[in-house]
């Protein structure tokens, strides 16, 4: 392992001390945040860790792997390129990612529910211009194209994929009636009511 202390001059003329750590595995932890890399730069004055090359950032219910990630230890803000976001249900790849206010935004993303099956070409997948992931809750994708065996099939303006526990997943229940009981159709649809769209519509 190697530790270097570097003094750098910022564009405004201010000097900052950076710690540069290189090792087989470097791990930085802060509260529920863990940063893992082989080489990173730490700016203690700004509370920022910059991963040089490939690295990994872990939080409860969320893992993000990418190149040249920049992580704010206190605010949880994160920026990176060529990113892989690992959730409980699906892995999402993106060209550029940013984590702000409890959500991950990706530009030029791709995901597939069968992405962990080991297939060379997935049976179906989705590519989108923009994706937002609310870890442990839902994935929202805009300007989506459905791919079947990597061939474009169907464009969708919006796609919502629930990632939450069963009580937050849309449900449709149909019960047929008979001579004594009525037929019944019940629908629970989360994310549509309330000021933050966290409420559930029931009919």
């Amino acid at each position: 392992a190697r530790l270097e202390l570097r003094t750098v001059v910022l564009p405004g003329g201010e000097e900052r001390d950076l710690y540069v750590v290189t090792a087989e595995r470097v791990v930085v932890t802060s509260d529920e945040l863990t940063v893992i890399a082989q080489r990173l730069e730490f700016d203690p004055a700004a509370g920022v860790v910059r991963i040089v090359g490939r690295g990994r950032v872990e939080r409860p219910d969320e893992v993000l792997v990418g190149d040249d990630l920049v992580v704010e230890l206190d605010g949880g803000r994160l920026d990176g390129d060529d990113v892989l976001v690992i959730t409980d249900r699906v892995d999402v790849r993106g060209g550029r990612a940013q984590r702000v206010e409890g959500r991950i935004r990706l530009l030029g993303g791709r995901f597939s529910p069968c992405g962990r099956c080991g297939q060379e070409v997935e049976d179906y997948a989705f590519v989108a211009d923009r994706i937002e992931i609310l870890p442990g809750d839902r994935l929202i994708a805009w300007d989506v194209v459905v791919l079947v065996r990597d061939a474009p099939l169907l464009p969708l303006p919006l796609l919502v994929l629930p990632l939450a526990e069963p009580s937050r997943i849309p449900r449709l229940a149909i019960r047929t009636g008979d001579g004594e009981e009525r037929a019944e159709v019940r629908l629970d649809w989360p994310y549509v009511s309330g000021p933050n769209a966290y409420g559930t519509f029931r009919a």
Side-chain angles (χ1 to χ4, degrees):
R2 177 177 172 151
L3 171 64
E4 302 172 48
L5 178 59
R6 293 183 185 166
T7 302
V8 295
V9 180
L10 299 177
E14 180 186 355
E15 287 190 352
R16 284 274 178 87
D17 290 329
L18 293 182
Y19 294 93
V20 182
V21 184
T22 306
E24 191 68 33
R25 178 179 164 93
V26 181
V27 179
V28 176
T29 57
S30 173
D31 296 328
E32 295 185 330
L33 174 73
T34 303
V35 179
I36 303 168
Q38 290 185 330
R39 181 178 172 89
L40 57 81
E41 297 174 353
F42 175 53
D43 182 346
V48 172
V49 172
R50 182 165 108 42
I51 297 172
V52 180
R54 200 78 168 159
R56 181 180 182 103
V57 179
E58 298 178 357
R59 287 183 177 83
D61 302 323
E62 171 189 334
V63 176
L64 199 141
V65 179
D67 292 328
D68 303 324
L69 300 171
V70 179
V71 185
E72 286 183 11
L73 296 179
D74 289 335
R77 186 179 173 92
L78 183 145
D79 291 289
D81 295 319
D82 187 22
V83 172
L84 169 66
V85 181
I86 302 168
T87 69
D88 286 343
R89 301 191 180 188
V90 69
D91 298 344
V92 184
R93 296 187 179 281
R96 177 102 187 115
Q98 186 179 64
R99 185 185 195 280
V100 288
E101 301 165 358
R103 62 183 63 210
I104 301 170
R105 294 181 179 143
L106 294 103
L107 295 177
R110 177 188 173 111
F111 60 96
S112 171
C114 55
R116 297 178 182 169
C117 302
Q119 300 172 330
E120 240 177 80
V121 178
E122 294 139 341
D123 289 335
Y124 67 101
F126 305 91
V127 292
D129 287 348
R130 183 167 62 101
I131 297 173
E132 285 198 5
I133 301 170
L134 284 74
D137 191 58
R138 65 189 182 254
L139 177 151
I140 308 162
W142 287 266
D143 296 320
V144 179
V145 175
V146 180
L147 305 176
V148 174
R149 305 291 294 172
D150 251 0
L153 176 70
L154 175 70
L156 300 171
L158 181 71
L159 177 89
V160 177
L161 178 67
L163 302 172
E165 69 275 0
S167 65
R168 297 293 297 153
I169 292 177
R171 284 181 300 217
L172 174 65
I174 300 173
R175 190 178 75 200
T176 57
D178 56 25
E180 297 177 12
E181 288 191 36
R182 292 178 164 183
E184 187 176 62
V185 177
R186 302 185 82 171
L187 173 70
D188 288 347
W189 193 261
Y191 319 124
V192 293
S193 66
N196 294 317
Y198 285 113
T200 299
F201 170 77
R202 290 192 169 92

